[in-house]
Amino acid sequence: MRRSTRLAMIAGLCVLAVSVALLRWTGPSPAGEPKAPSRLCVVWSSGDPGVAKNVCLMYAHNAKRRGWFDEVHLIVWGPSDKLLTENQELQDEVKAMQASGVVVEACLACAKNYGVVDALKGLGVDVKFMGEPLSQRLKGDWKVLTF
């Protein structure tokens, strides 16, 4: 009798564990339902070339190339506007990023303050007012990282 009681208790616990697991399981997405893309917005505001080369641009580029995120945007903001126009090595990296599919944007207000609007546009950077787009990304489903 004790053995059958133990077996019944074990069976009951197994049923309970499976029931809890099933209640928590959301199941697979319905066929054909699109998955929202993962999105990363990197705000590059540092005027330090070492931060740009060894942290900011390296991470943003790899995030796109290695598929860590489906969509990657780089916002050049503030002192980085000027730095990018003066540093050929960083320009080359940004061009490689663009070729990999990273969208590169710059703040128009900052670019005007530094006198580099045309130089940034010449690098293929989308120069526009960035306050509203960044605010929408912060409120939305984007991951935002700032350097």
Side-chain angles (χ1 to χ4, degrees), residues 93-114:
E93 180 60 25
V94 166
K95 287 177 188 174
M97 292 170 70
Q98 290 167 317
S100 296
V102 175
V103 175
V104 182
E105 303 163 302
C107 174
L108 177 59
C110 298
K112 283 181 178 180
N113 289 341
Y114 288 105

Side-chain angles (χ1 to χ4, degrees), residues 5-137:
T5 303
R6 271 189 261 161
L7 287 175
M9 287 179 66
I10 291 171
L13 289 172
C14 289
V15 168
L16 180 62
V18 169
S19 298
V20 169
L22 287 173
L23 287 172
R24 290 185 177 179
W25 183 56
T26 59
S29 299
E33 185 177 304
K35 179 185 156 220
S38 57
R39 296 174 168 167
L40 174 66
C41 178
V42 176
V43 179
W44 171 29
S45 63
S46 173
D48 182 330
V51 169
K53 179 182 175 194
N54 297 307
V55 184
C56 179
L57 301 183
M58 182 188 298
Y59 180 76
H61 196 186
N62 282 318
K64 181 63 179 171
R65 287 186 334 177
R66 296 176 187 235
W68 300 336
F69 287 88
D70 299 318
E71 191 173 341
V72 177
H73 284 215
L74 174 70
I75 299 176
V76 186
W77 193 306
S80 60
D81 282 356
K82 189 169 190 307
L83 176 62
L84 180 58
T85 63
E86 298 172 341
N87 188 307
Q88 185 64 49
E89 185 178 6
L90 298 178
Q91 292 172 19
D92 293 343
E93 180 60 25
V94 166
K95 287 177 188 174
M97 292 170 70
Q98 290 167 317
S100 296
V102 175
V103 175
V104 182
E105 303 163 302
C107 174
L108 177 59
C110 298
K112 283 181 178 180
N113 289 341
Y114 288 105
V116 296
V117 174
D118 292 335
L120 288 170
K121 286 182 177 180
L123 296 170
V125 176
D126 184 11
V127 183
K128 59 189 177 187
F129 292 109
M130 289 304 304
E132 186 175 341
L134 177 59
S135 296
Q136 292 305 315
R137 292 171 195 170

